[in-house]
Amino acid sequence: MTQAFQFDLCATDGAARTGVISTPRGRIRTPAFMPVGTAGTVKAMLPEQVAETGADILLGNTYHLMLRPTAERVDRMGGLHRFMNWDGPILTDSGGFQVMSLGELRKLDTGGVTFRSHIDGSRHRLTPERSMEIQRLLGSDIVMCFDECPALPAERERIAASMRLSMDWAARSRAAFGDRPGHALFGIQQGGLEPDLRAESAERLQAIGFEGYAIGGLAVGEGQAAMFDVLDYAPGQLPADRPRYLMGVGKPDDIVGAVARGVDMMDCVLPTRSGRTGQAFTRHGVVNIRNARHADDPRPLDEACTCPACRGYSRAYLHHVSRAKEMIASMLMTWHNLHYYQELMAGMRAAIAAGSFEAWQSAFHAARIEGDIEPL
């Protein structure tokens, strides 16, 4: 078992890449999708079930865990891996995005952010140094810099000021992170939809030096076309020998488009959140299992899928338990969605390695255009 954090690029096909991130806790095959375990759990799933879907790494949330149960308590319990019974790698975000979304509950200054908890109104201070301390207490394998991220659209002046503040915080995060063999710190590129600001951010991050680089400030209201416009150049502004992580993305076609443009890692709450609201992702698009058309349908969600929901249950049953709000509905639908996302990643990895990614993309989009199976 390796004791160093390392990224090995195995193959490319156009801008798309496949490789392996090695950590002391295991290997992460890229392109990788990270299920979100916000508060120390992937909702409606046991850790071993998440692993069965093919996930190599989970994401934990600094903001939520610092408030409840607190990072100090997690540390006393042996760290986040032991606390949540997940022995694979964990990436933790910095808490910056959640704090920025609090609106009137937070006050920003050059030192950090002062905010009130959305749970009980208690006052807290989050700085680059405190974010690094929290993530160290949690024991995550991949740590994210503390940054500031404005929602889009925003004025150029606001985006530029935010990016430069984030770059100052990135330097402070690097200094506070210290020497932690086997753990990695990722810098976060900002700059909105402005190519020159993105280039400035990438240059400053590389001058500081990180084990990996994230593309931040997207999937915050700009739309897919604008996001892809940025991804046409932003990954190329970052080092080719380090992992590239697109934060908070997304829908299956967002993910495929991002991989086609050189992204290695992604995360999103969408497959788990959608599972709890009766939405399933399939090769032929999104299925709303609560629709009446499924009430008497004995067929599986996807006949080609091998997840437990598709192997053992009909659309009619899933429709019933979802409409009745039974817990098993969230469990089965979430399992299916995470299984689908991991199959998507495995398919792209194989296609890139075989040099057939363009054909794979065409087949992916063609199947989605076909739409769901006809009702009985």
Side-chain angles (χ1 to χ4, degrees):
M1 187 165 63
T2 180
Q3 294 303 306
F5 180 93
Q6 181 176 320
F7 176 57
D8 293 303
L9 189 60
C10 300
T12 60
D13 189 357
R17 299 143 46 103
T18 185
V20 176
I21 300 169
S22 300
T23 79
R25 290 191 179 270
R27 299 163 73 248
I28 305 160
R29 299 162 293 176
T30 66
F33 178 81
M34 298 180 284
V36 177
T38 301
T41 174
V42 177
K43 291 179 174 63
M45 296 285 284
L46 293 171
E48 53 267 34
Q49 294 170 339
V50 178
E52 284 182 39
T53 69
D56 294 330
I57 179 173
L58 299 184
L59 183 144
N61 188 277
T62 289
Y63 168 79
H64 289 281
L65 290 167
M66 72 175 279
L67 295 179
R68 185 174 56 193
T70 76
E72 287 74 14
R73 178 168 289 147
V74 172
D75 181 47
R76 290 196 300 270
M77 296 297 106
L80 186 56
H81 297 85
R82 180 176 295 178
F83 192 56
M84 68 180 291
N85 193 29
W86 173 264
D87 60 6
I90 294 175
L91 179 149
T92 46
D93 63 11
S94 70
F97 180 81
Q98 283 73 27
V99 170
M100 296 310 145
S101 68
L102 292 174
E104 295 179 358
L105 294 175
R106 56 92 173 177
K107 182 178 180 181
L108 172 71
D109 57 63
T110 56
V113 184
T114 303
F115 65 96
R116 293 195 177 276
S117 165
H118 73 284
I119 299 170
D120 59 11
S122 57
R123 187 175 179 273
H124 299 266
R125 176 77 171 164
L126 197 53
T127 64
E129 293 76 16
R130 176 59 176 155
S131 177
M132 295 303 100
E133 179 186 22
I134 292 168
Q135 294 181 78
R136 178 186 61 77
L137 290 168
L138 295 174
S140 55
D141 306 279
I142 300 177
V143 172
M144 301 305 298
C145 280
F146 189 59
D147 68 332
E148 203 255 332
C149 173
L152 298 178
E155 295 294 328
R156 177 182 167 86
E157 293 74 15
R158 167 75 176 95
I159 294 170
S162 172
M163 180 272 288
R164 288 166 186 148
L165 177 62
S166 289
M167 296 308 98
D168 291 341
W169 286 359
R172 288 169 57 188
S173 295
R174 178 83 266 181
F177 180 81
D179 183 19
R180 299 183 60 201
H183 298 264
L185 179 64
F186 280 25
I188 305 175
Q189 183 200 50
Q190 295 288 353
L193 308 181
E194 309 291 334
D196 61 322
L197 296 181
R198 288 271 171 189
E200 179 183 337
S201 177
E203 184 177 345
R204 290 188 61 178
L205 289 173
Q206 290 175 73
I208 298 167
F210 294 94
E211 288 73 50
Y213 295 84
I215 301 167
L218 295 176
V220 289
E222 75 282 358
Q224 187 189 75
M227 179 178 73
F228 282 173
D229 284 345
V230 173
L231 293 179
D232 282 336
Y233 62 81
Q237 295 173 332
L238 301 172
D241 63 346
R242 305 293 167 92
R244 301 163 176 167
Y245 165 30
L246 178 60
M247 305 178 75
V249 174
K251 296 178 181 177
D253 54 335
D254 292 337
I255 289 173
V256 172
V259 169
R261 290 165 172 82
V263 169
D264 304 306
M265 304 168 68
M266 286 134 289
D267 78 280
C268 192
V269 298
L270 192 61
T272 49
R273 180 177 291 167
S274 295
R276 299 194 304 277
T277 59
Q279 283 194 321
F281 294 95
T282 76
R283 293 173 298 117
H284 299 292
V286 179
V287 172
N288 185 345
I289 202 62
R290 294 180 181 176
N291 286 349
R293 60 163 285 188
H294 306 294
D296 292 300
D297 196 330
R299 298 171 295 181
L301 273 173
D302 187 334
E303 69 280 359
C305 180
T306 59
C307 82
C310 293
R311 286 201 316 266
Y313 301 91
S314 65
R315 289 185 176 215
Y317 179 77
L318 294 172
H319 169 84
H320 159 65
V321 291
S322 184
R323 292 289 293 268
K325 299 182 179 179
E326 293 289 348
M327 285 186 287
I328 195 173
S330 294
M331 295 160 60
L332 290 172
M333 296 288 284
T334 299
W335 196 325
H336 168 83
N337 283 346
L338 289 178
H339 179 99
Y340 169 77
Y341 268 60
Q342 295 301 336
E343 280 204 333
L344 191 69
M345 309 316 291
M348 287 191 285
R349 291 193 295 263
I352 295 166
S356 58
F357 185 66
E358 186 174 344
W360 184 94
Q361 268 197 102
S362 297
F364 165 81
H365 290 297
R368 290 173 65 81
I369 289 170
E370 288 178 7
D372 193 20
I373 55 178
E374 291 295 322
L376 293 174

